Amino acid sequence: MTKAKIAILISGTGSNMAALLYAAKHPDCPYEVALVASNNPDAPGLKLAEAEDIPTFAHPHKGLTREAHDEIMHDAIIAAKADHVALAGYMRILSPEFVGKWEGRMLNIHPSLLPKYKGLHTHQRALEAGDSQGGCSVHLVTAELDDGPVLGQSPVAVLPGDTAETLASRVLIAEHQLYPRTLANYVSRASSPEYLVAQVRERALAMPEADEVTSNGRPWFGTIQGHT
């Protein structure tokens, strides 16, 4: 099995990076971690990656424009021959140029049930709104913050007496479960029958007078019969 090569970007402890890394050790995992990179040379997650024999790269962003730093990170990702990027606590707003280079190939995990509570302080905002659930979402990264298509979510019940900190601790457990599974599904989607049918459907139904019917339990696409 040819595995997708993933570059993981972190800024701190990298607990979601660790979840992705250890999931990649399973022989059936469809991805491997090619690089762990950070804008913080002192990020503790870098030491963990090094201990697990994962290549690492760090370059501080201080004194650089956003575009200049993003270009440095992009070059490191390319040098590692990664074909997907996973943001895992990377505390940087990315430039449109960087996002454009990785469109459709960059994922992020966010600690809310998107589209609720984009940005920061998600758990406190959920509690103040009286929500019965918090949670986390994995989404594709677009130029707008936390706005890309959602690929997977895990709801987490809000308990009586929860604080932002106690809710965050349970959501983090859910994140560690959701991110590796969603990333694995996304990078292997080309072999998924459901994905392939969806791609055919999108292209077929974009044609004039196209229609979809079911024949022997399978979808069939063609032009509308009897159209005048």
Side-chain angles (χ1 to χ4, degrees):
M1 176 178 62
T2 301
K3 297 193 174 190
K5 295 183 180 296
I6 308 298
I8 306 175
L9 304 189
I10 66 172
S11 291
T13 58
S15 67
N16 269 304
M17 176 274 294
L20 295 173
L21 187 158
Y22 291 125
K25 289 178 176 288
H26 193 283
D28 292 335
C29 185
Y31 68 81
E32 59 183 298
V33 180
L35 178 71
V36 173
S38 181
N39 64 313
N40 174 15
D42 297 321
L46 292 173
K47 294 183 174 59
L48 172 60
E50 290 167 358
E52 295 291 350
D53 295 323
I54 302 297
T56 62
F57 174 82
H59 198 290
H61 60 266
K62 187 174 181 180
L64 295 173
T65 65
R66 191 176 309 280
E67 292 76 14
H69 185 263
D70 283 356
E71 187 65 24
I72 291 170
M73 300 300 284
H74 172 77
D75 289 345
I77 295 167
I78 293 297
K81 299 182 178 179
D83 42 37
H84 290 79
V85 176
L87 306 181
Y90 189 58
M91 304 305 290
R92 295 279 293 164
I93 296 176
L94 299 168
S95 64
E97 292 80 7
F98 184 89
V99 173
K101 290 173 181 176
W102 293 97
E103 182 178 0
R105 296 184 294 150
M106 182 159 55
L107 285 69
N108 181 48
I109 188 156
H110 182 73
S112 79
L113 296 175
L114 293 172
K116 283 187 171 183
Y117 314 129
K118 300 174 184 180
L120 301 176
H121 310 299
T122 58
H123 309 300
Q124 186 62 43
R125 291 157 68 190
L127 293 175
E128 290 174 354
D131 291 353
S132 62
Q133 291 180 325
C136 53
S137 307
V138 175
H139 65 96
L140 290 176
V141 177
T142 60
E144 187 171 345
L145 182 67
D146 301 328
D147 194 57
V150 173
L151 303 176
Q153 292 185 314
S154 286
V156 174
V158 174
L159 301 181
D162 256 341
T163 64
E165 290 74 23
T166 59
L167 178 56
S169 67
R170 296 199 308 282
V171 170
L172 188 61
I173 296 171
E175 290 180 29
H176 295 168
Q177 301 295 314
L178 177 67
Y179 209 176
R181 182 174 69 248
T182 305
L183 177 61
N185 288 341
Y186 188 73
V187 301
S188 61
R189 67 195 185 285
S191 60
S192 164
E194 292 82 3
Y195 174 79
L196 294 173
V197 169
Q199 294 299 299
V200 172
R201 177 180 292 112
E202 180 179 353
R203 287 163 174 77
L205 296 183
M207 299 174 63
E209 304 174 11
D211 195 12
E212 176 181 355
V213 297
T214 301
S215 177
N216 296 321
R218 298 180 180 178
W220 181 89
F221 304 97
T223 58
I224 300 173
Q225 298 298 313
H227 179 83
T228 59

